[in-house]
Amino acid sequence: MHSFLSWSLAIGLLAVLTSATPYKHFSLNKRNATERLVFAHFMMGIVSNRQNASDYDNDMKLAKSAGIDAFALNIGTDNYTETQLNFAYASAAKNNMSVFISFDFNWFSPSADATTVGKLTKAFASKKAQLKVDGRVFVSSFVGNGLDVEAVRQAAGTEIYFAPNFRPSTPQIAKTIDGALNWVAWDSNGENRAPKGGKNVPVASGDGNYTAWLGSDKGYIAPVSPWFNTHYGPEVSYPKNWVFPSDLLWFNRWNEILTTNSTPQFLEIITWNDYGESHYIGPLSSKHTDDGNSKWANDMPHTGWLEMATPFIKAYKEGKKEPVITEEKLIYWYRPTPKTVKCNGTDTTGSPPDGAETLEDSVFVVALLKDKGQITAISGMNSQTFNATAGAQAFRVPMGVGAQTFSLKRNGKTIMEATSQRDILNECPCGIYNYNAYVGTVPASNKADALDADGLAGLMKGLNSSCSATPSLPIRMPGATGSTRPLRVRY
Ligand SMILES: *[C@@H]1O[C@H](CO)[C@@H](O)[C@H](O)[C@H]1NC(C)=O
Ligand SMILES: *[C@@H]1O[C@H](CO)[C@@H](O)[C@H](O)[C@H]1NC(C)=O
Ligand SMILES: *[C@@H]1O[C@H](CO)[C@@H](O)[C@H](O)[C@H]1NC(C)=O
Ligand SMILES: *[C@@H]1O[C@H](CO)[C@@H](O)[C@H](O)[C@H]1NC(C)=O
Ligand SMILES: *[C@@H]1O[C@H](CO)[C@@H](O)[C@H](O)[C@H]1NC(C)=O
Ligand SMILES: *[C@@H]1O[C@H](CO)[C@@H](O)[C@H](O)[C@H]1NC(C)=O
Ligand SMILES: *[C@@H]1O[C@H](CO)[C@@H](O)[C@H](O)[C@H]1NC(C)=O
Ligand SMILES: *[C@@H]1O[C@H](CO)[C@@H](O)[C@H](O)[C@H]1NC(C)=O
């Protein structure tokens, strides 16, 4: 859904705007640096099937309870957009959550749509759930360099806090905005692909570029993302088959956010529900349509990542350097097959995702502990035990085909233990290279998190292998965490 294609397009427009009339400066209040807010990017383009505001309630409640302050509602130009925005704003108001619009300039035109963007901003500006910062209506974007910000402000007719996802450019452009979102949450080669040929542009490099460009009186929205995998083939009109280095990104980036000397005023989690790029932290059951992602999203829950982030979000807001752990748990994740498994015969995309070599064949475990203990991770035939201290620590064990079991012990006594519902297999799930991650927790969740019929509607499209278009993970019975092995699923 998101692509960086429009960036190159915007470069030309940027040159035009740089030489245009100087921006008439609005009086900006100095920001209160202690007010830290956490956003999550929410794709409106895949929720056209929602029927009412209540269809947003679970998302609002769950995000709010994790400490997320607002959803950045990513919109394109679809005819259902305003209907769905109204539902989302109404649900947010009901659930004490905030929202703001994030205009996606893959669909809006930076050169032609400034007035449209301003008018749409105005239409929602006075709603109760609208996020305001320094008393101004918060507005953001995906890409959009070259946009006439002055024209947006005029059409909005109200004071706005405009924090678009412009690439860093000239000081004159920085003066026109109030803040900016950095989208680049993954180490890359600097050209929207995984590092290669010895070229690695780390996420922190983007933090540096943005903060240098914005200066200290503008709000920087730093990105935090758990993963990136997308695997679209000839079933869609655009080729999209790549990963970014993701293994322990979620853990490492949160620690980087907590320990940096220049704490950003805002964070944006990328994303809540972009299943197509595998960086969702919201539930699979969050009602949505299928843009072809179900081939790699089905039976791959990620809400354990939301649970892992919760103590980090709390610490970020409280200005602490370490996560605030109130509940002990283990969060684990892994890809469903080792890289040695070849799927060329049945994968219609034809090859593993670009950047696959940057991912390890490992199973990752993050321990959130209040006291020291022994963590044992068993991946197939591989078993390792680690001495963990109190706090948050990450461990890894080489990926082994078979069952995946994790435990916490103290003084020889098992405190908690669970076996994943999904085995690692030596074969291609649904015939494809699936580089998404399965995320589980100990204690195991007792809630089912499954795609519904709408979320699975496109599963067979682009598959060349028989595959059951139904969620297959069993619903776990509450309390099934002891040494009893739950029913597991083989694919
Ligand atoms: C900044 O915000 C914090 C938290 O809302 C508040 O306690 C503090 O008084 C504010 N400081 C200023 C200078 O407004
Ligand atoms: C909202 O729509 C859903 C279907 O998407 C339906 O199940 C539910 O009953 C509706 N809720 C209300 C309050 O109308
Ligand atoms: C919205 O657009 C879709 C396809 O682009 C079309 O099928 C549908 O009829 C349109 N709906 C409305 C209410 O205009
Ligand atoms: C709404 O959330 C804010 C924090 O975002 C909190 O201060 C306030 O107490 C909440 N209000 C209700 C009614 O839950
Ligand atoms: C930051 O700027 C440097 C110098 O222009 C550039 O090489 C690097 O790619 C930028 N980082 C990101 C994440 O764009
Ligand atoms: C798809 O399956 C058919 C046989 O059912 C086979 O001939 C063909 O090579 C397969 N194509 C791909 C890309 O896997
Ligand atoms: C599978 O495809 C990849 C990429 O096209 C290629 O590098 C690899 O050699 C192929 N493997 C087999 C077994 O054909
Ligand atoms: C963990 O600690 C125990 C007792 O202090 C020690 O025997 C063991 O070697 C340690 N294990 C590792 C992996 O460091």
Side-chain angles (χ1 to χ4, degrees):
M1 197 162 295
H2 277 130
S3 84
F4 285 40
L5 288 177
S6 62
W7 282 27
S8 51
L9 202 90
I11 291 169
L13 297 163
L14 173 66
V16 174
L17 197 78
T18 311
S19 59
T21 342
Y23 168 68
K24 189 160 100 332
H25 201 63
F26 279 79
S27 63
L28 305 179
N29 302 331
K30 195 105 181 143
R31 70 186 168 89
N32 180 345
T34 62
E35 279 173 348
R36 295 178 180 168
L37 298 176
V38 178
F39 312 138
H41 203 79
F42 187 107
M43 309 302 295
M44 298 298 280
I46 58 162
V47 296
S48 59
N49 58 338
R50 296 192 178 192
Q51 303 298 315
N52 49 50
S54 306
D55 278 347
Y56 285 83
D57 287 353
N58 287 340
D59 293 309
M60 299 293 167
K61 285 180 192 149
L62 185 59
K64 178 89 193 172
S65 71
I68 294 169
D69 298 286
F71 279 128
L73 303 174
N74 173 291
I75 61 162
T77 51
D78 302 290
N79 59 13
Y80 52 78
T81 300
E82 289 186 50
T83 303
Q84 291 299 333
L85 281 176
N86 274 309
F87 292 159
Y89 271 80
S91 170
K94 189 166 44 160
N95 292 294
N96 192 25
M97 181 67 171
S98 294
V99 290
F100 58 90
I101 301 177
S102 175
F103 291 89
D104 191 326
F105 284 95
N106 276 331
W107 306 104
F108 291 94
S109 156
S111 57
D113 289 338
T115 302
T116 307
V117 164
K119 282 184 177 160
L120 210 42
T121 299
K122 185 180 188 174
F124 291 86
S126 60
K127 294 203 180 283
K128 181 166 172 251
Q130 170 65 51
L131 178 72
K132 291 189 177 161
V133 168
D134 294 342
R136 287 174 293 157
V137 171
F138 202 89
V139 187
S140 189
S141 78
F142 175 68
V143 298
N145 279 68
L147 180 71
D148 183 346
V149 178
E150 173 90 61
V152 174
R153 291 188 195 275
Q154 295 300 338
T158 181
E159 289 263 321
I160 63 172
Y161 189 109
F162 194 55
N165 169 227
F166 289 175
R167 268 175 298 104
S169 59
T170 64
Q172 289 92 323
I173 299 288
K175 280 195 192 120
T176 68
I177 59 181
D178 308 297
L181 163 68
N182 170 15
W183 185 262
V184 188
W186 312 271
D187 288 3
S188 77
N189 66 348
E191 292 164 46
N192 199 28
R193 289 295 183 278
K196 45 177 71 70
K199 180 140 195 241
N200 184 7
V201 181
V203 179
S205 141
D207 295 330
N209 292 358
Y210 270 89
T211 50
W213 176 54
L214 291 170
S216 59
D217 63 340
K218 309 267 179 188
Y220 171 51
I221 312 175
V224 190
S225 186
W227 203 260
F228 192 108
N229 158 74
T230 190
H231 192 61
Y232 290 101
E235 77 276 14
V236 294
S237 57
Y238 43 89
K240 208 175 163 188
N241 182 29
W242 71 87
V243 297
F244 285 117
S246 298
D247 294 343
L248 276 175
L249 174 65
W250 189 233
F251 178 77
N252 292 337
R253 178 61 173 162
W254 275 111
N255 280 298
E256 185 168 71
I257 292 288
L258 293 193
T259 54
T260 179
N261 287 329
S262 51
T263 310
Q265 188 183 0
F266 307 116
L267 301 181
E268 188 152 320
I269 294 169
I270 301 174
T271 58
W272 183 258
N273 64 346
D274 194 337
Y275 307 94
E277 292 183 351
S278 309
H279 40 58
Y280 54 98
I281 61 163
L284 295 171
S285 61
S286 172
K287 193 174 173 62
H288 64 275
T289 57
D290 187 3
D291 58 7
N293 67 68
S294 61
K295 288 188 282 299
W296 52 89
N298 188 31
D299 288 337
M300 300 287 257
H302 284 184
T303 52
W305 278 337
L306 179 65
E307 293 188 47
M308 195 211 88
T310 305
F312 286 89
I313 292 172
K314 200 165 185 342
Y316 164 74
K317 294 203 186 159
E318 293 177 1
K320 301 212 163 93
K321 301 274 179 210
E322 307 227 339
V324 179
I325 297 166
T326 54
E327 209 183 323
E328 292 201 310
K329 58 179 78 169
L330 312 180
I331 316 295
Y332 60 86
W333 60 89
Y334 52 84
R335 302 193 323 275
T337 49
K339 283 184 286 187
T340 47
V341 174
K342 298 296 176 207
C343 314
N344 294 26
T346 48
D347 185 304
T348 59
T349 303
S351 64
D354 177 89
E357 70 284 354
T358 66
L359 301 176
E360 276 175 24
D361 276 353
S362 292
V363 171
F364 304 95
V365 193
V366 167
L368 302 173
L369 303 183
K370 294 204 257 189
D371 196 1
K372 65 182 181 181
Q374 286 79 47
I375 305 298
T376 298
I378 307 171
S379 179
M381 301 294 283
N382 306 325
S383 173
Q384 285 191 26
T385 295
F386 308 93
N387 291 329
T389 60
Q393 285 176 283
F395 304 98
R396 68 186 89 200
V397 60
M399 190 182 271
V401 168
Q404 312 295 313
T405 300
F406 308 88
S407 67
L408 165 67
K409 293 195 183 69
R410 286 194 178 106
N411 308 316
K413 181 169 176 282
T414 299
I415 307 297
M416 54 175 84
E417 179 178 31
T419 293
S420 172
Q421 292 184 307
R422 183 155 184 152
D423 287 1
I424 290 179
L425 292 185
N426 223 346
E427 60 202 58
C428 306
C430 292
I432 68 166
Y433 287 106
N434 189 343
Y435 279 65
N436 189 5
Y438 176 94
V439 184
T441 62
V442 187
S445 165
N446 56 21
K447 292 195 199 84
D449 179 23
L451 294 174
D452 66 11
D454 288 349
L456 282 161
L459 189 118
M460 289 313 293
K461 217 176 144 204
L463 284 186
N464 193 26
S465 178
S466 74
C467 185
S468 159
T470 52
S472 334
L473 298 181
I475 296 171
R476 192 186 290 269
M477 299 314 288
T481 52
S483 54
T484 325
R485 283 204 159 179
L487 174 64
R488 298 192 320 271
V489 175
R490 293 179 42 86
Y491 285 74

